[in-house]
Amino acid sequence: MDGPCRRISQFVLKVHSRCDLSCDHCYVYQHADQTWRGRPARMPPATVQGAARRIAEHAREHGLPVVHVVLHGGEPLLLGAAGLREALAELRTTITPWARLDLRMQTNGVLLDDELCRLFVEYDVRVGVSFDGDRVANDRHRVFAHGGSSHDHVRRALALLRRPEYRTSYAGILCTIDVRNDPDRVYEALLAENPPRVDLLLPHATWDHPPQRPGPEPTPYAHWLGRLHRRWVDDGRPMSIRMFEALRPGGGGTEAFGLAPADVLVIEADGAWEQVDSLKTAYHGAAGTGFDVFDHSVDEVARHPGVAVRQDGVDGLCATCRACPVVDRCGGGLYAHRWRTGSDFDNPSVYCADLLRLIDTVDAYPPPTPPAPRQRTAAGSMPREWSATSPVDELLDDLATGPGSTSTLALLAATQFSITRALLAACRDRFGSTAAWELLVHLDQAAPDAVLAVLEHPFVRPGLVHRLDSSALPGLGAAVDPLPALAIAAALRAGVPAALRVPVRAGAITLPTLGNLVLPGLGERAEVTVRPGEVQVRSGSVEQTVLLDPLAPPSTGWLPTRDVSVPGGRLLLEDGDPYRDCYGQPVEPRLEVPAARALGRTLTDAWRVVRRDVPAHAAALDGGLRAVVALAPDPARPLRSATARHAFGAVAVTPHPDPETMAVLLVHEWQHAKLGAVLDLYDLVEPGQGTRIRVPWRPDPRPPEGVLQGVYAHLAVTQVWRSRAATDHPDASAHAAHFLAWTRDGVDALLASRSLTAAGERFVSQLRHALEETHVGSR
Ligand code: SF4
Ligand code: SF4
């Protein structure tokens, strides 16, 4: 083997591969890898010896000042006091001549007693205990095989370690979170054990097996951790919580975060060298290297491709992570959490949207040293300081210019896509693994582009939200399972034959991004069989094969989607998907051909106008606007437009024939869409406020988020009219002055309301600067 070799300073020694608990979230026994079944229960003394020699050899050859060895399992205490003494003595005797040896252990604590504690003090072993919080939280997963609680056993172990004579061996607590637990109770339970350090772990998950996301909250892990973080900061950070400390700018990272090269190897009970343990969650054998301590040195293992790729810092990450403004702190998340069959580890973390939001939450608090004085908002909860150099600032500052750059738009689109996938997984968790889910999983591996094309459709998310909470989007009627239609649409795009039972809505089967099948006599469900270019439908007495010809007359029952060419690509005229009815105002039914053509022409011309007037805003439209929905006419309000928070990538407009007017509507609404995507990630407004603010563009006082949306949209409209005013466009100067005055007043009222978070204040202050600039990407 050749190539440069790296120094490894951390080693995990699996001294016992079985366990006396039976936790259902355990990656050793319950996840994809099952290699434990073929290994000896106890690490034999000769294997301990071989491991110690390899570590000592590496320390000597590389002049390592310190080596960290963690005794691990399964459950290491199952080795017993005598077995542990033998192993600890071997490690100290063999390694200490060459490097300082930092000995640690990770245990479930069940078997911990005085004799073991004395042994750990004697050999200077620092012991971490796995404990998930209060009784409900801990026993949700951490139970014996007979289902009995481990809570009292673990608390007894923690009490032992707190005793003054053993306290030096108390390293801290490892807590795996579950968003169904109460974060306050978990926090209080952890604090009560007075640990020197707490490690919070996200449950292991991959894109193949996404984490549980109960409820419609798109980033429940960020939300849950954010609550715990706030409590911790408000209490004056009474214990070290490594996740929060590591995520701060310059926080140094951990195995789960940051760009530091991987510096850890595992030695299994049979002497096999393995990569990090968490990989066991990806697939059977994922952590394997094919090497062992008897025949292979640490240097040889460090050159293994799976280890080497993790030395490449940002270059070893996927394109989305490389473009991410917080990549230096997130580092793409835990390596194992990036796994997806097909693209392997070349993905962002399955927790991507949560991580982005969590980093923002951490940034919203002052650095721990020196302690900065915290101002309180009217709500009395959220400090207002904002780190001046946070990469999240850069994203918000970029958007506050008005259009935002193409890389920022790409990141917003990527996080919105992550949210859609997370909602899909939440449906699977809530309603079980159906044939439609299985088909989507299969297609995701066999034809990922086809699945991507369907899932990026703006109205997929409203369907999933509606399925999870039918009260979230009133007006959509009874919730039906949207997965069969998504899977069939993806199969058709992929040219993969498939058959599923698909719910019928309002007499139609909608295949998102493709079109509607409208056949008289359809019942509530239909048996849909697809082959390339055709669909066969059976429902009650209806049995029909439909050729998916885009030029087929409507009489065939197939109503294909229509799109138009715009300078940025193709724009869908969405008038068939039932979930487009999520704007809180009536939408047009399927447009007649002349009306569709007229709207298409107007949109094409309007896009050109945006490019002419404000090219930077046109680039922002190119970066994410995929569909336009026609709103139903209302004589009282002939000029209307709308955006829906759950439908990123689409705007709704009244089909106004004038491209100059339509251009303003598009720019205006796209601002709302971008800001909605930002608000999925960051709190810009203090939550739970009853504040109402008077603004010039509405007769009624508005909530802060409404004003924020208003000023952001009006900033862009001001920029359009300013640009037009530089030409001989009639009335442009008056319009520019009008929108400038509105936006200024709105911004000032918003800032004076004290209802924004620190990030929100920064965003609106930057927006105020952008407002006073004369041009934005203008001719
Ligand atoms: S205590 Fe640890 S090793 Fe044992 S079952 Fe639980 S998570 Fe797995
Ligand atoms: S937040 Fe998402 S895109 Fe950014 S580095 Fe982390 S996983 Fe990658």
Side-chain angles (χ1 to χ4, degrees):
M1 281 212 183
D2 47 18
C5 95
R6 237 198 85 70
R7 302 188 314 171
I8 301 287
S9 69
Q10 300 173 52
F11 300 89
V12 173
L13 214 57
K14 303 293 201 106
V15 293
H16 204 289
S17 65
R18 304 293 190 269
C19 189
D20 45 353
L21 286 186
S22 186
C23 312
D24 64 5
H25 61 3
C26 177
Y27 62 78
V28 178
Y29 309 114
Q30 306 292 345
H31 286 209
D33 182 273
Q34 290 292 307
T35 51
W36 65 274
R37 294 177 187 276
R39 303 194 198 279
R42 300 165 66 94
M43 181 178 274
T47 308
V48 179
Q49 214 171 56
R53 283 187 189 150
R54 288 300 185 190
I55 296 169
E57 172 187 84
H58 188 70
R60 187 185 71 236
E61 287 174 1
H62 292 275
L64 296 183
V66 59
V67 164
H68 312 271
V69 176
V70 187
L71 302 194
H72 213 281
E75 172 47 50
L77 295 185
L78 286 173
L79 208 57
L84 284 167
R85 176 178 287 281
E86 204 179 323
L88 292 170
E90 180 65 45
L91 291 165
R92 281 248 173 261
T93 309
T94 309
I95 299 172
T96 306
W98 308 107
R100 186 170 77 74
L101 178 58
D102 171 35
L103 272 172
R104 293 179 180 253
M105 171 178 286
Q106 187 62 39
T107 171
N108 63 33
V110 169
L111 295 175
L112 195 71
D113 59 13
D114 279 289
E115 183 188 5
L116 286 165
C117 285
R118 283 195 295 274
L119 179 70
F120 296 147
V121 171
E122 181 187 340
Y123 279 91
D124 193 14
V125 183
R126 309 229 325 129
V127 179
V129 178
S130 305
F131 177 60
D132 290 351
D134 60 286
R135 185 178 295 278
V136 171
N138 188 74
D139 292 347
R140 191 184 289 281
H141 301 289
R142 308 192 64 80
V143 291
F144 290 91
H146 52 65
S149 166
S150 71
H151 193 250
D152 293 339
H153 298 262
V154 187
R155 291 209 64 204
R156 186 194 50 77
L158 291 164
L160 258 182
L161 286 169
R162 279 200 306 277
R163 297 228 305 247
E165 62 270 37
Y166 306 138
R167 177 86 200 178
T168 54
S169 279
Y170 188 12
I173 290 175
L174 183 72
C175 169
T176 302
I177 73 165
D178 187 313
V179 291
R180 291 169 298 178
N181 297 331
D182 180 335
D184 285 310
R185 296 193 63 178
V186 170
Y187 170 81
E188 283 155 15
L190 296 174
L191 189 59
E193 304 300 338
N194 199 11
R197 165 170 277 182
V198 168
D199 270 304
L200 296 173
L201 244 61
L202 289 165
H204 287 320
T206 65
W207 287 101
D208 289 0
H209 297 285
Q212 285 208 10
R213 295 181 186 274
E217 166 66 58
T219 53
Y221 292 87
H223 182 76
W224 195 96
L225 287 163
R227 277 183 58 190
L228 200 139
H229 178 265
R230 177 173 297 205
R231 183 76 190 276
W232 177 64
V233 172
D234 287 348
D235 282 2
R237 299 183 175 85
M239 55 191 166
S240 164
I241 300 186
R242 200 149 70 125
M243 175 188 276
F244 299 149
E245 291 159 354
L247 282 176
R248 294 203 63 80
T254 63
E255 186 196 337
F257 303 110
L259 293 171
D263 179 26
V264 61
L265 286 175
V266 177
I267 303 164
E268 285 288 349
D270 58 359
W273 285 113
E274 294 223 324
Q275 305 168 62
V276 284
D277 242 15
S278 52
L279 283 175
K280 287 179 163 50
T281 204
Y283 57 93
H284 180 70
T289 65
F291 300 135
D292 62 62
V293 294
F294 309 110
D295 293 323
H296 303 98
S297 68
V298 177
D299 283 0
E300 285 174 283
V301 191
R303 291 193 200 102
H304 181 279
V307 180
V309 74
R310 307 201 44 220
Q311 317 295 325
D312 291 348
V314 76
D315 292 337
L317 300 177
C318 70
T320 304
C321 292
R322 290 202 301 274
C324 174
V326 296
V327 67
D328 55 334
R329 290 150 68 191
C330 172
L334 193 72
Y335 191 58
H337 295 176
R338 301 174 209 162
W339 172 258
R340 174 186 286 153
T341 305
S343 49
D344 298 356
F345 294 98
D346 193 26
N347 308 296
S349 167
V350 70
Y351 288 103
C352 174
D354 288 280
L355 294 173
L356 262 175
R357 186 166 186 179
L358 178 61
I359 289 171
D360 175 47
T361 302
V362 171
D363 281 349
Y365 285 75
T369 53
R374 282 183 285 134
Q375 297 170 353
R376 298 284 174 162
T377 63
S381 58
M382 185 81 156
R384 307 188 72 84
E385 287 85 354
W386 179 253
S387 159
T389 55
S390 154
V392 177
D393 289 349
E394 288 170 21
L395 184 141
L396 292 176
D397 289 357
D398 180 39
L399 284 168
T401 60
S405 65
T406 43
S407 61
T408 294
L409 262 294
L411 185 69
L412 288 183
T415 56
Q416 288 292 301
F417 184 60
S418 290
I419 289 170
T420 299
R421 291 194 77 108
L423 290 167
L424 204 56
C427 284
R428 191 277 315 263
D429 289 344
R430 175 85 63 83
F431 303 107
S433 179
T434 58
W437 168 265
E438 297 297 333
L439 178 57
L440 276 171
V441 170
H442 166 72
L443 293 171
D444 203 22
Q445 294 163 11
D449 288 349
V451 176
L452 179 75
V454 173
L455 294 189
E456 281 188 340
H457 182 52
F459 300 103
V460 170
R461 178 167 157 187
L464 296 169
V465 168
H466 189 53
R467 171 71 166 150
L468 289 163
D469 179 2
S470 58
S471 66
L473 292 170
L476 285 181
V480 300
D481 182 3
L483 268 65
L486 298 176
I488 286 289
L492 265 171
R493 281 184 165 274
V496 172
L500 286 175
R501 278 173 70 75
V502 181
V504 176
R505 279 184 72 116
I509 297 168
T510 302
L511 303 180
T513 71
L514 296 174
N516 278 11
L517 276 162
V518 186
L519 300 171
L522 288 176
E524 289 189 350
R525 286 176 179 277
E527 196 72 42
V528 177
T529 305
V530 296
R531 286 179 278 277
E534 71 172 48
V535 179
Q536 188 185 64
V537 180
R538 276 185 298 155
S539 172
S541 59
V542 177
E543 182 161 352
Q544 192 162 337
T545 298
V546 180
L547 296 179
L548 304 187
D549 180 351
L551 301 176
S555 56
T556 62
W558 175 237
L559 303 177
T561 53
R562 291 173 289 207
D563 59 11
V564 291
S565 175
V566 291
R570 307 290 302 175
L571 183 66
L572 192 64
L573 299 182
E574 183 54 85
D575 58 359
D577 192 310
Y579 296 110
R580 77 190 187 287
D581 198 358
C582 59
Y583 292 97
Q585 42 188 314
V587 297
E588 279 278 65
R590 185 170 173 89
L591 299 170
E592 297 297 333
V593 172
R597 286 205 181 121
L599 178 58
R601 271 196 306 274
T602 310
L603 289 168
T604 305
D605 292 345
W607 207 294
R608 290 200 188 104
V609 170
V610 177
R611 187 155 281 189
R612 179 200 72 193
D613 289 342
V614 274
H617 279 288
L621 291 177
D622 296 348
L625 183 57
R626 293 170 186 280
V628 169
V629 170
L631 291 172
D634 177 355
R637 295 173 58 215
L639 196 60
R640 284 172 302 123
S641 56
T643 323
R645 179 71 169 268
H646 291 301
F648 181 78
V651 298
V653 293
T654 45
H656 197 282
D658 175 23
E660 302 275 331
T661 303
M662 184 64 82
V664 176
L665 291 188
L666 289 182
V667 169
H668 175 113
E669 288 306 329
W670 193 231
Q671 293 294 98
H672 288 317
K674 287 182 287 178
L675 189 54
V678 170
L679 291 169
D680 273 344
L681 300 173
Y682 311 126
D683 284 328
L684 300 185
V685 173
E686 289 282 11
Q689 292 222 349
T691 309
R692 291 290 179 271
I693 301 167
R694 290 209 167 274
V695 288
W697 59 88
R698 290 278 295 235
D700 50 332
R702 306 291 296 148
E705 188 170 317
V707 180
L708 182 63
Q709 286 281 7
V711 295
Y712 193 50
H714 288 140
L715 165 68
V717 174
T718 306
Q719 290 168 335
V720 172
W721 284 113
R722 266 196 178 137
S723 174
R724 291 179 180 177
T727 68
D728 54 1
H729 196 291
D731 302 327
S733 295
H735 285 307
H738 173 73
F739 280 101
L740 176 64
W742 270 11
T743 318
R744 267 187 194 144
D745 288 354
V747 164
D748 292 345
L750 195 53
L751 288 172
S753 72
R754 311 290 292 163
S755 56
L756 299 173
T757 63
E761 275 195 11
R762 183 184 174 100
F763 179 71
V764 174
S765 302
Q766 294 291 331
L767 189 159
R768 181 78 156 91
H769 286 303
L771 190 61
E772 303 307 333
E773 283 172 9
T774 317
H775 296 293
V776 53
S778 57
R779 290 158 286 178

